[in-house]
Amino acid sequence: KKALAGLTGLVAVSKSGYHSMLQAFPEWKERIYAVPNVMDVENLRALAKELQTEVVQDNIFQYVSTLLEKENIQYLNVEMFGGEPLLYFEEELYPLLKRIQTVAEEKGKGVSFFFVTNATCIKEKHIPMFADLKAKFQISIDGYKEKHNQVKRDVNSKEATYEKVMNIIHLLCNSYDECYINLRINYDNETLQHIGDVIRDIVDIDRKKLGIH
């Protein structure tokens, strides 16, 4: 470490090398750089994003952990909104929230998670993860089926999303007791005339788990 005293940074040539350096020199965290292959631009970008994500997640986790250490904080509500907060839910957000949930339980504190989303990024495989977090939601739609589908299409497939969102709402409400969804209906004069169509699509859902905004 004495030999490194005059240096301004360290360069790792792989992800594993980066983590090894970080473990050996934690005090150099802000001065360790990862360069997998200067000729491989795509790998460089991917690694930079991955490492940046890890640093951001660690910073958020440490901040929340500090909050939970305070005696006057017994319960923490974590609310996520965007943009669209669920774009990388499985890969990035869920692992971070699970860490927060675990440390809150260890400290004997309460924690809840609330997502403001259009639900188009939610997949059926994500439902158990939301159940694990006991998540609650505000989900927005742009009116009745035909109107919504004019406005909101799937980012990748460009397919209509109304039926997909309604299916996700049903899956969430039927999957765990703690689920609650505030369904926000964006409207104009035309939409209001068809509000009954939306009501018919959700009439079978337990009213204790779904409200309309």
Side-chain angles (χ1 to χ4, degrees):
K1 292 188 178 181
K2 290 182 179 179
L4 299 174
L7 300 180
T8 58
L10 296 172
V11 175
V13 295
S14 67
K15 179 183 176 182
S16 60
Y18 171 85
H19 286 294
S20 295
M21 287 185 178
L22 192 60
Q23 185 175 8
F25 308 106
E27 69 275 16
W28 279 60
K29 183 175 182 179
E30 303 302 325
R31 292 189 285 172
I32 298 177
Y33 308 96
V35 183
N37 184 335
V38 294
M39 299 302 292
D40 191 341
V41 177
E42 289 305 315
N43 278 346
L44 179 59
R45 287 174 178 167
L47 179 58
K49 180 182 182 300
E50 186 175 352
L51 295 176
Q52 181 186 40
T53 298
E54 290 180 7
V55 171
V56 170
Q57 287 184 349
D58 285 343
N59 289 342
I60 293 173
F61 177 73
Q62 292 302 325
Y63 174 72
V64 173
S65 295
T66 300
L67 287 179
L68 292 171
E69 291 285 353
K70 298 182 179 180
E71 292 184 2
N72 64 327
I73 294 181
Q74 296 299 316
Y75 194 92
L76 186 66
N77 180 53
V78 182
E79 183 171 325
M80 284 138 287
F81 53 91
E84 175 48 57
L86 300 180
L87 283 172
Y88 302 101
F89 173 71
E90 182 178 0
E91 303 90 337
E92 298 178 7
L93 190 54
Y94 174 69
L96 173 60
L97 298 182
K98 188 61 184 174
R99 290 173 67 190
I100 292 173
Q101 183 186 57
T102 300
V103 74
E105 291 173 352
E106 290 173 350
K107 297 179 186 296
K109 305 294 180 72
V111 63
S112 63
F113 303 102
F114 184 83
F115 300 88
V116 179
T117 175
N118 60 32
T120 58
C121 293
I122 298 178
K123 300 177 182 178
E124 189 168 347
K125 67 177 181 177
H126 297 153
I127 303 296
M129 302 178 200
F130 287 118
D132 185 32
L133 297 172
K134 300 179 175 59
K136 296 176 174 59
F137 303 83
Q138 176 174 291
I139 294 178
S140 61
I141 60 173
D142 290 281
Y144 60 104
K145 179 179 177 180
E146 289 76 15
K147 182 69 172 182
H148 176 91
N149 287 338
Q150 289 175 7
V151 176
K152 199 157 283 147
R153 297 271 171 172
D154 186 273
V155 174
N156 298 314
S157 68
K158 306 305 179 185
E159 293 179 353
T161 59
Y162 182 87
E163 290 184 344
K164 174 184 177 180
V165 171
M166 284 296 167
N167 182 54
I168 288 297
I169 289 173
H170 280 78
L171 286 173
L172 286 167
C173 288
N174 292 332
S175 293
Y176 57 104
D177 293 337
E178 300 85 357
C179 180
Y180 182 80
I181 297 173
N182 177 40
L183 180 63
R184 176 184 171 122
I185 304 175
N186 301 324
Y187 69 91
D188 55 22
N189 290 336
E190 179 187 357
T191 300
L192 285 176
Q193 298 176 23
H194 297 272
I195 199 70
D197 296 342
V198 177
I199 300 301
R200 280 188 286 274
D201 289 334
I202 59 175
V203 71
D204 58 323
I205 297 177
D206 186 345
R207 293 185 183 182
K208 294 179 181 178
K209 292 188 173 185
L210 181 70
I212 297 178
H213 178 134

